Amino acid sequence: MNEGAPNEAAIFEHFHDVKIDRDNIAHYRGLMEGRFLLNRCDDCGTWIYPHRPLCPECLSWTITPTEISGSGRLHMFTLLYQSRDPDKPLTEPMQAAAIELDEQPGLRYLSRVVNCPLSKLRHDMPVMLTWIEENRRRWPAFEPATDIIDMTGEG
Ligand SMILES: [Zn+2]
């Protein structure tokens, strides 16, 4: 933990509706600092997500929260048209996207793609990390890494 990093009490308060535990607290501390950290095995280099204390490849317990590059591809996405709150109807479909990070095949983070019309979302499109503000909190999201007009060939 670097100097000036949020302490545990601050993390619990900031993410009061998230189940914080010893395996994911570094990730959420990173989010507060605008850093995207995922656990990585010190012994074999495997990236570990969802957050776990044990490397699934070599069973090492020596794990270090490590910053990702932020580039990846849209592995899959779905658009949800049903509102979760009848008092707040959706104005547009809610998006859930799995981003496969360049660090490792199969390393997928559930997020969403922003700064891109929903109609331009394409499987395997290159994306890069950006940040969005929601409910006074900063969250990682992804945006197209290339010109979306060129990529789809639709002009
Ligand atoms: Zn390992």
Side-chain angles (χ1 to χ4, degrees):
M1 186 170 115
N2 55 319
E3 211 171 299
N7 65 25
E8 291 184 359
I11 298 165
F12 281 106
E13 186 181 328
H14 192 72
F15 294 104
H16 57 88
D17 53 352
V18 176
K19 186 172 178 253
I20 305 285
D21 59 29
R22 67 178 186 173
D23 300 330
N24 67 16
I25 193 164
H27 177 72
Y28 286 99
R29 177 181 289 118
L31 298 188
M32 288 179 73
E33 299 176 305
R35 303 167 67 212
F36 189 137
L37 303 171
L38 292 181
N39 289 340
R40 189 172 195 200
C41 176
D42 288 349
D43 292 318
C44 75
T46 297
W47 293 85
I48 303 161
Y49 185 80
H51 311 288
R52 280 187 222 127
L54 174 71
C55 175
E57 286 299 318
C58 74
L59 305 182
S60 171
W61 292 91
T62 314
I63 304 297
T64 301
T66 306
E67 197 148 9
I68 62 156
S69 67
S71 60
R73 290 181 174 270
L74 178 56
H75 178 73
M76 64 180 182
F77 67 95
T78 188
L79 302 177
L80 307 172
Y81 290 84
Q82 186 173 17
S83 176
R84 296 166 66 179
D85 181 346
D87 297 328
K88 292 180 190 163
L90 292 175
T91 54
E92 60 177 30
M94 191 163 60
Q95 179 199 144
I99 308 299
E100 182 150 316
L101 301 170
D102 282 353
E103 272 71 11
Q104 177 177 295
L107 183 68
R108 296 179 195 133
Y109 188 80
L110 196 62
S111 184
R112 64 181 152 167
V113 179
V114 297
N115 302 327
C116 178
L118 296 177
S119 64
K120 298 285 186 186
L121 292 175
R122 295 290 183 273
H123 173 252
D124 216 32
M125 68 191 281
V127 292
M128 57 188 295
L129 177 66
T130 185
W131 295 87
I132 56 173
E133 233 12 75
E134 207 169 73
N135 300 327
R136 294 180 291 131
R137 292 188 287 199
R138 187 168 31 186
W139 299 99
F142 290 80
E143 62 186 358
T146 56
D147 187 332
I148 54 176
I149 293 168
D150 287 346
M151 199 174 58
T152 59
E154 291 174 11

